[in-house]
């Protein structure tokens, strides 16, 4: 933080009032240096790392120059991704809270263009958008740049890396001759320098130097772990750390899907973010993640670009990124706003040498960590149960079951045995049953793992299947025909879905629908039996009505569907003793 105050930066009173309302006390280094320079109207190059407050550094001087009486676009902010454009626009609106009549519009592909056209016709002061959609509006003639006073290129290096040079050059060439250009970037490379030389007007450079590229508040650790063991190790870390929010980075979309499905099957509240997800689904996912409804976000680099949420406690590099700079961007999602953060990285084989390149780039050593054992995870879960019970006892908040306890005591059972059984049942219901992995065996012989094909989850064909990571065959039981599928487990109700494998439906699609669209609590979806033209799904009986309600206006694979009680088991199917004395499936139990 700078020793200056925002009052000393020359900002108007309405912006100072907004800054104070947002809880900012002192400007960051990039804000203290860039805001006074940008207020003069000169071109500027701001070089600062992710999470350093660049958005306010350019948004405040942009807003200070806005004429509210003129409803034509006066400032253009160009961002590399839709997510970042949305977040920048939200922050601009927050900073303009005390500017009556101010309007800013996010413009990006994947969203209905007719809404953007209506907003542009109505009038906006600031446009925040991605290069492709902005270029589209220019060609349509729906965006007139004649009154643009300031152009901001946010994360210019990333936009060039993503192949937007042509779009950026076309946008800048259409701007008025007399306009201010602000280039903000994490790095100054050859491509960024060429763009500045072509379109900049003798810009002033402001660079915020740091001895290391990573934040000291972030604890970094690496784990040497085989691909086939990574989901189990990730699960153990989530159980031990108990992060409020966590982001898991993968290098490919397919691995994102596989990891998300496996985490949900293990009882975690997880969702995915990658390039194949529709824009509406992206926004819903991010909204749930901010609220904490989704605790683990599994994402690719491009899809997660621009996520700026202070409460992220853990970042996990499921795959080590190819570029050391991407490592810095990834772990910069945690350790923000004065909070502590943790970044874990999984490596094996050649990844160890690539991790050394990251250490040289960041000028920081990343220590090797010891994988938590099953016993340690079990002890942590037991401690959590103990604290929960203790808090209930001290608060006096529980339902009286003394009659049932007395009956057990009369039959000769001791109070200690009764309590132990209850603790055991509670642990089975709320805990996740872990799996032993090769890394658990002390003094194991180092084996050469088959070459990793595109960041897949396992080394060979058998282990790359998600089922091999979560033991689905053993936990869910063998597949059966509809007439021989058994009865629902205790506390579960079986539902019938009139879609099946013939439509290329997968269990992850059904689980994603129920968790994300119906907002079912973690661990409420049990076994899923897949058939060519239908599916049988076990859902916790107390939320089964919520699951059925989602079929009224939702679609699966773009098609309407019918979800109802399975007639073969009755409704509700899991309440009338249909469990047959089977042991409850623990893999869906949730982790708390």
């Amino acid at each position: 933080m700078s020793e200056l105050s925002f009052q000393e930066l020359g900002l108007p009173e309405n912006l100072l009032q907004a800054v104070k309302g947002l809880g900012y006390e002192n400007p960051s280094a990039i804000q203290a240096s860039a805001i006074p320079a940008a207020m003069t109207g000169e071109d500027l190059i701001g070089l600062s790392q992710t999470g350093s407050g660049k958005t306010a550094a350019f948004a405040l001087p942009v807003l200070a120059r806005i004429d509210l009486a003129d409803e034509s676009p006066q400032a253009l902010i160009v961002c590399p991704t839709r997510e970042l454009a949305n977040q920048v626009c939200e922050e601009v609106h927050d900073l303009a809270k005390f500017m009556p009549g101010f309007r800013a519009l996010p413009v990006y592909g994947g969203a209905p263009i007719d809404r953007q056209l209506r907003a542009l016709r109505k009038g906006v002061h600031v446009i925040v958008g991605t290069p492709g959609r902005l270029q589209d509006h220019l060609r349509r003639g729906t965006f007139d740049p004649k009154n643009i006073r300031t152009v901001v290129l946010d994360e210019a290096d990333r936009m060039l890396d993503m192949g937007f040079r042509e779009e950026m050059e076309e946008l800048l060439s259409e701007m008025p001759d007399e306009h201010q250009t602000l280039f903000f970037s994490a790095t100054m490379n050859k491509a960024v320098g060429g763009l500045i030389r072509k379109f900049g007007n003798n810009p002033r450079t402001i660079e915020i130097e740091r001895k290391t590229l990573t934040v000291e508040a972030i604890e970094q650790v690496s784990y040497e772990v085989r691909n086939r063991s990574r989901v189990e190790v990730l699960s153990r870390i989530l159980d031990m750390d108990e992060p409020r929010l966590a982001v898991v980075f993968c290098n490919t979309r397919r691995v994102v899907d596989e990891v998300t499905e496996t985490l949900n099957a293990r009882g975690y509240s997880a969702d995915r973010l990658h390039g194949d997800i529709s824009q509406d689904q992206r926004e819903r996912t991010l909204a749930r993640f901010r609220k904490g409804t989704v605790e683990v976000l599994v994402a690719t680099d491009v899809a997660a670009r621009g996520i700026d949420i202070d409460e992220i406690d853990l970042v996990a590099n499921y795959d080590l990124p190819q570029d050391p700079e991407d490592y810095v961007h990834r772990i910069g999602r945690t350790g923000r706003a004065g909070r502590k953060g943790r970044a874990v990285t999984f490596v094996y084989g050649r990844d160890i040498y690539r991790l050394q390149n990251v250490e040289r780039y960041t000028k920081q050593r990343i220590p090797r960590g010891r994988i938590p054992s099953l016993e340690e995870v079990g002890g942590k879960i037991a401690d959590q149960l103990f604290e929960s019970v203790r808090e209930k006892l001290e608060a006096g908040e529980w339902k009286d079951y003394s009659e049932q306890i007395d009956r057990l005591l009369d039959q000769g059972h001791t109070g200690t045995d009764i309590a132990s059984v209850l603790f055991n049942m509670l642990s089975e219901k709320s805990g996740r049953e872990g799996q032993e992995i090769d890394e658990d065996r002390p003094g194991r012989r180092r084996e050469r793992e088959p070459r990793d094909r595109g960041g897949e989850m396992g080394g060979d064909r058998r282990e790359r299947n998600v089922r091999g990571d979560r033991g689905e065959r053993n936990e869910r039981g063998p597949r059966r025909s509809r007439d021989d599928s058994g009865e629902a487990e205790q506390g579960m109700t079986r539902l019938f879905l009139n879609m099946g494998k013939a439509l290329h439906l997968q269990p992850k699609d059904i689980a994603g629908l129920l968790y994300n669209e119906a907002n079912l609590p973690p661990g409420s979806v049990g076994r899923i039996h897949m058939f060519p033209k239908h599916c049988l799904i076990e859902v916790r009986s107390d939320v089964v009505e919520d699951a059925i309600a989602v079929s009224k206006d939702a679609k699966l694979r773009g098609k309407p569907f019918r979800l109802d009680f399975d007639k073969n088991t009755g409704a509700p199917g899991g309440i009338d003793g249909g469990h047959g004395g089977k042991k409850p499936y623990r893999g869906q139990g949730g982790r708390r």
Side-chain angles (χ1 to χ4, degrees), residues 185-197:
S185 177
T187 59
M188 172 61 78
N189 53 36
K190 185 177 180 181
V192 175
L195 190 71
I196 293 172
R197 284 192 297 272

Side-chain angles (χ1 to χ4, degrees), residues 317-443:
N317 292 302
Y318 191 88
D319 300 315
L320 185 67
Q322 299 293 333
D323 191 340
E325 186 179 334
D326 287 331
Y327 175 87
V328 175
H329 284 298
R330 286 182 177 186
I331 72 169
R333 308 297 168 199
T334 186
R336 295 189 171 193
R339 298 169 61 94
K340 294 289 185 180
R342 190 163 187 255
V344 302
T345 302
F346 297 155
V347 294
Y348 193 81
R350 295 180 181 177
D351 288 342
I352 297 174
Y353 300 103
R354 289 167 52 204
L355 187 65
Q356 293 173 355
N357 293 333
V358 172
E359 291 177 325
R360 285 192 290 269
Y361 178 76
T362 60
K363 301 178 182 178
Q364 272 190 316
R365 181 179 174 274
I366 302 172
R368 184 76 51 82
R370 183 180 60 82
I371 296 171
S373 67
L374 283 173
E375 291 74 16
E376 290 172 325
V377 176
K380 183 64 177 290
I381 294 175
D383 289 342
Q384 294 167 4
L385 290 176
F386 174 82
E387 288 299 322
S388 298
V389 173
R390 183 186 60 80
E391 290 174 3
K392 287 281 187 181
L393 288 170
E394 292 180 354
E397 299 175 353
W398 71 84
K399 187 176 179 180
D400 186 12
Y401 285 93
S402 56
E403 181 179 348
Q404 287 78 7
I405 300 295
D406 290 339
R407 289 171 58 189
L408 291 170
L409 291 172
D410 291 341
Q411 294 177 13
H413 301 290
T414 67
T416 302
D417 288 343
I418 296 171
S420 296
V421 170
L422 293 174
F423 263 95
N424 187 65
M425 293 172 63
L426 186 60
S427 177
E428 289 180 353
K429 182 179 179 180
S430 62
R432 180 189 60 80
E433 186 172 327
Q435 301 168 352
E436 184 177 346
I437 54 179
D438 293 339
E439 287 76 4
D440 289 332
R441 293 192 285 272

Side-chain angles (χ1 to χ4, degrees), residues 33 129 156 163 169 201 216 228-229 318 330 372 451 461 495 500:
S33 301
E169 290 187 351
N201 180 21
E216 293 181 359
R228 60 177 174 264
S229 304
Y318 191 88
R330 286 182 177 186
R451 181 174 297 175
R461 183 175 300 173
L495 301 180

Side-chain angles (χ1 to χ4, degrees), residues 6 18 38 51 62 73 75 81 96 112 135 186 193 224 271 295 311 313 318 347 354 382 490 517 522 563 573:
F6 280 101
V62 162
T81 66
Q135 186 185 48
E224 186 177 359
D271 209 341
E295 297 174 306
E311 291 79 13
D313 297 323
Y318 191 88
V347 294
R354 289 167 52 204
Q490 185 177 19
E517 298 297 331
L563 185 67

